[in-house]
Amino acid sequence: MAKEYKGYIFDLDGVLVDTAKYHFKAWKRLADEMNIRFNEDDNERLKGVSRMASLDIILELGNKTLSEEEKVSLATRKNEWYVEFISKMDASEILPGALEFLKMLKENGYKCALGSASKNAGLILERTGLKNYFDTVVDGTHVSKAKPDPEVFTLGADNMGLSYTDCVVFEDSVAGLQAAKAAGMVAVGIGEASVLTDADMVVKDLSEFNLNML
Ligand code: G6P
Ligand code: MG
């Protein structure tokens, strides 16, 4: 390891837990009700994107324009279905290597932050038992600017009392990696290298990552 980084900031959905399938089921139910064609490929575009921006993408797919009030009511219904799914989650839905890596970081005195766009992050961390691994949790309830704006990650570093250049971010979304780079942090992509071109390095999941790779 050329440099020892002090802080490790994790996106939640797609990095620590596999919730994309639940987001998809809930959005799909809404899209079906509205006769909007929506498939797994379309769902890729929603990764890392806020709830209201996700709804805008779906409405655009269906060429529909709605009032702000109607949009809020649709997003609320989608979220109720989504919450039903995640309320039943447990530790078995933690992605490969994530728990082991978080344990190792804690045992070795590194600081960890969560940096997620989700307003449901608290519930997911509780259900999966991951909550205690984080020194600070920054989620969609704390930030006003969505990724690719770096706010969610800079706030995480500020809360840990660390400089941005001492932090490493783990992200599965293009917007999230751009946010990490905009913050001046090292960006590790989780997924496909052909998609995550803004990342400093890409691994399939956290089981493939170790600190010597930095
Ligand atoms: C994450 C997911 C997105 C989701 C967003 C907001 O970034 O990758 O797919 O839209 O969080 O989630 P929420 O739980 O607040 O609806
Ligand atoms: Mg994600």
Side-chain angles (χ1 to χ4, degrees):
M1 191 159 66
K3 171 178 170 175
E4 187 164 23
Y5 294 90
K6 298 182 179 134
Y8 295 82
I9 308 182
F10 297 83
D11 173 50
L12 178 64
D13 298 289
V15 171
L16 300 176
V17 289
D18 179 19
T19 42
K21 58 182 187 239
Y22 299 135
H23 278 298
F24 177 68
K25 281 188 185 180
W27 284 126
K28 177 75 181 148
R29 182 168 169 182
L30 192 74
D32 283 351
E33 278 188 11
M34 298 177 76
N35 287 317
I36 297 175
R37 283 181 57 173
F38 177 65
N39 60 31
E40 302 255 7
D41 281 341
D42 301 320
N43 194 51
E44 283 300 303
R45 291 177 59 197
L46 309 188
K47 283 188 180 171
V49 174
S50 74
R51 193 180 308 166
M52 290 311 282
S54 299
L55 177 63
D56 282 336
I57 292 173
I58 291 170
L59 294 176
E60 188 196 301
L61 286 169
N63 278 318
K64 292 195 197 292
T65 316
L66 297 179
S67 71
E68 204 46 45
E69 206 184 334
E70 287 169 314
K71 287 207 277 187
V72 169
S73 125
L74 290 178
T76 304
R77 282 177 62 218
K78 178 269 172 179
N79 192 56
E80 283 165 5
W81 297 327
Y82 179 67
V83 168
E84 258 181 57
F85 289 123
I86 59 172
S87 302
K88 295 180 197 134
M89 281 178 86
D90 60 29
S92 69
E93 290 180 74
I94 298 172
L95 286 168
L99 191 58
E100 295 76 2
F101 187 54
L102 286 168
K103 275 187 181 156
M104 184 280 294
L105 290 172
K106 205 168 172 62
E107 279 163 19
N108 289 281
Y110 295 106
K111 286 211 165 5
C112 289
L114 191 87
S116 166
S118 174
K119 293 187 167 138
N120 294 302
L123 176 59
I124 296 170
L125 290 181
E126 229 164 77
R127 292 294 317 159
T128 53
L130 286 173
K131 203 173 178 180
N132 292 337
Y133 291 96
F134 296 96
D135 298 284
T136 178
V137 170
V138 182
D139 64 27
T141 64
H142 304 109
V143 292
S144 54
K145 290 175 245 150
K147 299 170 187 176
D149 187 283
E151 185 183 13
V152 66
F153 297 138
T154 54
L155 192 55
D158 293 345
N159 290 351
M160 294 189 287
L162 296 176
S163 328
Y164 304 155
T165 49
D166 277 331
C167 296
V168 180
V169 170
F170 299 89
E171 252 294 347
D172 70 319
S173 75
V174 173
L177 290 164
Q178 289 167 346
K181 291 318 294 174
M185 299 175 180
V186 175
V188 180
I190 305 290
E192 294 294 326
S194 57
V195 181
L196 305 177
T197 50
D198 292 290
D200 293 305
M201 68 189 78
V202 178
V203 289
K204 184 169 61 67
D205 58 43
L206 284 168
S207 71
E208 283 189 356
F209 184 81
N210 67 70
L211 294 185
N212 295 322
M213 290 162 74
L214 292 172

